[in-house]
Amino acid sequence: MSKFQDNLFDKVQQNSDISPNEIHKVADSVKNADFSDEKTVRNLVRRLSKLANQPISKAKEDKIVESITKNNMPVDMQTLNKMFKK
């Protein structure tokens, strides 16, 4: 792993208490995922929410799932952060 990746994983773990191993597991699980399938996306959103220990409302979950399945996901992190914090 590169030094940049190590630093990134360290920051994530410090800010969220999520281990690099858990991040790798999630990443592996979505490599071939069908993001147009609502059930797949909903399961991923729930898993990430639980992993981050950040519960989200049903309405927010629905909005995120719809955005992903309709391929309307923002590409920049600032917009993604705003979406999750609403």
Side-chain angles (χ1 to χ4, degrees):
M1 214 179 313
S2 74
K3 190 170 192 149
F4 172 77
Q5 288 172 321
D6 286 338
N7 289 338
L8 179 64
F9 285 127
D10 288 343
K11 286 281 188 195
V12 169
Q13 191 164 12
Q14 288 172 357
N15 292 330
S16 64
D17 200 29
I18 300 172
S19 74
N21 187 38
E22 291 172 294
I23 294 169
H24 285 291
K25 285 180 185 178
V26 172
D28 285 341
S29 74
V30 299
K31 280 183 182 175
N32 298 311
D34 177 6
F35 289 102
S36 64
D37 177 55
E38 181 181 336
K39 184 177 179 182
T40 299
V41 174
R42 193 169 297 279
N43 285 336
L44 177 62
V45 169
R46 288 177 182 165
R47 183 175 178 188
L48 291 172
S49 172
K50 185 175 181 179
L51 185 65
N53 198 25
Q54 294 292 320
I56 58 173
S57 68
K58 176 75 167 117
K60 186 182 286 189
E61 179 184 306
D62 290 343
K63 183 176 180 180
I64 293 167
V65 169
E66 181 181 359
S67 292
I68 294 170
T69 58
K70 303 257 191 261
N71 207 17
N72 292 330
M73 280 304 295
V75 292
D76 64 283
M77 288 304 291
Q78 186 175 9
T79 306
L80 280 171
N81 279 334
K82 286 180 185 176
M83 181 181 213
F84 278 92
K85 290 182 179 180
K86 286 184 180 177

